[in-house]
Amino acid sequence: MNKYIFTLLLSSFGLACFAQANISPAKPQSKKTAIMGAKLHLGNGKIIENGYLIFDQGKIIGVGDATLVRLSLTDATVIDGNNKHIYPGFIAPITNLGLTEFESVKATLDFTEIGNINTHIRSIIAYNTDSKVPATLRSNGVLMAQITPQGGTMSGSSSVVQLDAWNWEDAAIRTDDAQHLNWPATPKLRGPGGRNPLSSDALQERTQAQINELEQLFTEAKAYVEIEKPAVVNARLAAMNHLFDGKQKLFITVNAQKDIIAAVNFAKKHGVSPVIVGGDEAYLIIPFLKENNIPVIVKQPHALPNSTDDDVNMPYKNAGVLANAGVTVVVSIDGYWQQRNLPFMAGTVAAWGLDKEKALQTITLNTAKVLGIDKTTGSLEIGKDATFFISAGDALDMKTNKVERAFIQGRDINLDNLHKQLDRKFSEKYEAGKK
């Protein structure tokens, strides 16, 4: 009974929070704007120490070194960028943002479905633009996200959104960018004192049965999409069509080196383009990854090692080891509200062996390339969306990250959020009490 009362109270608190954080999406850009004198972090590994950035109608129309050109800006709004930093909007991959609101309230959880094979599930149509979490992410520079389903063997398709919209149609940058597969992991025997409910042979047999099920699914799906007019519509098979024509990628969550190799070979066999998610042991098979041009989305750099035999600092170093070896690396973090800490994950990667601007790429241009949106975002380049932010300090450092203004497709977005509102509310209360 107490559990249900707690849930009801939490829901009521959530509704009260909603009322406090009523932030409408920004209006379209109405006038050409130029930012002068800022330090530009282009997102492609390059920096312009004293740069200019000009954007109009939501697109970047000028970017360069302010010391080398004379600009006529009589028709533009000019923003002083001296002693400021400009970054491309950060992109959060692999997140259930907007699919869940309160972890303890089941009615707000919409990121998983019943069953193991859910290729027909589209996360985008469940994405809640009224969630109060995205506003907290924007305040740290995270302006886009890949909304991803979870659970089962085939979880469904993800979509990429920008985080300031009225509804999911407005939010969508790219719909159904990838299908998501949780690879059947090779079973591990427990250590001394541990007990396995099944024998080693039984565990191996169960894993192989799951792989055989995937083999059958992909074989049937490939045959199905080649039929011009199927007599019977199969939504699960039809949803896999774009895996085979290259319009979708297959994101495979897998960690052990043996399983990574098996998963990549499986994808190649069926003619689909794989991306490894997790990849705790990817650093052990770097030549294989480079040979097959496989990107790796490193999850949760702030974590414990995968194995008791691993270097205790390996989670911190993993992304740097892979990137310095020539593997395309993306950094992610688990959860939804935790996404506000994404830039600091990249900062950790920079502190453990990766060049600072290359670390920035792991949450900007590299992510855009892996998600298939690099033609319009991910870096500060002419012709791309004006999706970026201005920070008073280093945005990868939690001590200096201070986002002062942010723009999504040229729109000057509101950076207020529930956390800031509560801070003001109680600061005023205690300040009043001192008088």
Side-chain angles (χ1 to χ4, degrees):
M1 182 68 180
N2 289 338
K3 176 182 177 183
Y4 296 112
I5 293 174
F6 172 76
T7 299
L8 179 61
L9 290 173
L10 182 60
S11 300
S12 300
F13 172 74
L15 292 174
C17 290
F18 287 178
Q20 293 180 59
N22 186 20
I23 302 171
S24 297
K27 295 179 180 179
Q29 182 182 5
S30 59
K31 187 177 180 181
K32 182 192 297 184
T33 305
I35 306 172
M36 303 297 298
K39 184 174 183 178
L40 304 183
H41 302 262
L42 300 183
N44 58 7
K46 299 178 182 179
I47 295 176
I48 300 176
E49 292 290 343
N50 180 13
Y52 67 87
L53 181 68
I54 307 172
F55 57 104
D56 192 19
Q57 297 181 3
K59 295 290 185 180
I60 297 174
I61 61 172
V63 59
D65 191 334
T67 63
L68 301 179
V69 297
R70 186 182 298 273
L71 299 171
S72 175
L73 300 173
T74 55
D75 61 339
T77 299
V78 179
I79 299 173
D80 183 5
N82 285 322
N83 300 317
K84 309 294 183 184
H85 299 254
I86 296 180
Y87 295 86
F90 298 153
I91 310 169
I94 314 294
T95 174
N96 57 4
L97 177 71
L99 303 180
T100 182
E101 199 70 21
F102 302 110
E103 291 169 325
S104 300
V105 183
K106 187 176 181 180
T108 71
L109 308 181
D110 202 12
F111 54 82
T112 187
E113 295 290 339
I114 296 172
N116 279 330
I117 306 299
N118 290 311
T119 54
H120 59 301
I121 296 300
R122 303 178 67 223
S123 62
I124 186 65
I125 61 174
Y127 176 63
N128 176 22
T129 53
D130 291 324
S131 168
K132 302 310 163 189
V133 181
T136 67
L137 274 56
R138 300 197 301 256
S139 293
N140 276 359
V142 180
L143 305 182
M144 293 163 283
Q146 181 194 35
I147 309 306
T148 306
Q150 299 175 356
T153 303
M154 293 291 296
S155 305
S157 66
S158 58
S159 292
V160 186
V161 300
Q162 51 87 2
L163 303 184
D164 184 62
W166 289 102
N167 50 51
W168 69 260
E169 291 95 336
D170 292 339
I173 295 176
R174 186 181 179 202
T175 57
D176 304 315
D177 67 293
Q179 285 280 346
H180 292 263
L181 163 61
N182 296 303
W183 187 257
T186 300
K188 292 183 178 180
L189 295 177
R190 297 183 182 179
R195 238 181 225 187
N196 284 311
L198 298 174
S199 67
S200 175
D201 288 344
L203 289 170
Q204 291 283 1
E205 184 177 336
R206 185 174 65 180
T207 301
Q208 189 57 51
Q210 292 174 321
I211 295 174
N212 291 342
E213 182 183 22
L214 284 172
E215 288 279 1
Q216 182 176 351
L217 172 68
F218 275 72
T219 300
E220 290 179 356
K222 194 168 186 178
Y224 180 87
V225 299
E226 291 175 354
I227 302 174
E228 187 174 346
K229 292 183 179 180
V232 177
V233 175
N234 187 314
R236 287 178 171 83
L237 300 182
M240 298 173 67
N241 176 42
H242 293 310
L243 279 176
F244 303 110
D245 64 15
K247 294 180 181 178
Q248 271 189 333
K249 293 181 181 178
L250 181 65
F251 281 48
I252 310 174
T253 298
V254 58
N255 287 301
Q257 59 173 318
K258 178 180 178 181
D259 293 336
I260 294 172
I261 293 172
V264 170
N265 287 335
F266 171 86
K268 289 177 60 182
K269 173 183 176 181
H270 291 282
V272 301
S273 178
V275 174
I276 298 301
V277 179
D280 288 349
E281 296 183 1
Y283 68 95
L284 297 173
I285 51 171
I286 286 173
F288 173 80
L289 296 172
K290 291 178 65 177
E291 178 185 348
N292 290 280
N293 194 28
I294 306 298
V296 177
I297 299 180
V298 175
K299 297 192 73 176
Q300 203 79 11
H302 289 189
L304 294 173
N306 187 50
S307 167
T308 55
D309 295 327
D310 286 346
D311 178 353
V312 69
N313 294 318
M314 198 62 226
Y316 299 150
K317 298 190 290 188
N318 192 16
V321 170
L322 292 169
N324 288 330
V327 176
T328 299
V329 174
V330 172
V331 167
S332 70
I333 183 172
D334 289 336
Y336 58 107
W337 60 263
Q338 298 95 326
Q339 299 301 323
R340 64 188 178 187
N341 293 322
L342 179 65
F344 313 135
M345 299 299 105
T348 296
V349 169
W352 286 87
L354 189 61
D355 174 80
K356 193 66 164 285
E357 296 306 310
K358 288 185 178 179
L360 174 63
Q361 282 185 254
T362 66
I363 56 174
T364 54
L365 188 56
N366 284 6
T367 312
K369 287 179 178 178
V370 170
L371 302 186
I373 58 172
D374 54 301
K375 290 184 179 179
T376 57
T377 191
S379 59
L380 303 177
E381 299 180 57
I382 293 174
K384 289 192 174 185
D385 289 347
T387 300
F388 64 91
F389 64 91
I390 304 171
S391 174
D394 182 353
L396 302 191
D397 186 339
M398 65 177 63
K399 291 183 177 180
T400 58
N401 178 309
K402 185 179 179 182
V403 178
E404 296 183 341
R405 294 184 74 171
F407 299 83
I408 293 179
Q409 296 169 339
R411 297 178 293 113
D412 191 353
I413 67 171
N414 190 331
L415 289 177
D416 199 12
N417 61 52
L418 180 60
H419 294 179
K420 292 179 179 179
Q421 292 169 10
L422 292 175
D423 177 66
R424 291 195 298 269
K425 175 181 176 179
F426 289 101
S427 293
E428 291 169 2
K429 173 185 176 181
Y430 290 112
E431 283 299 323
K434 293 178 182 178
K435 296 178 182 178

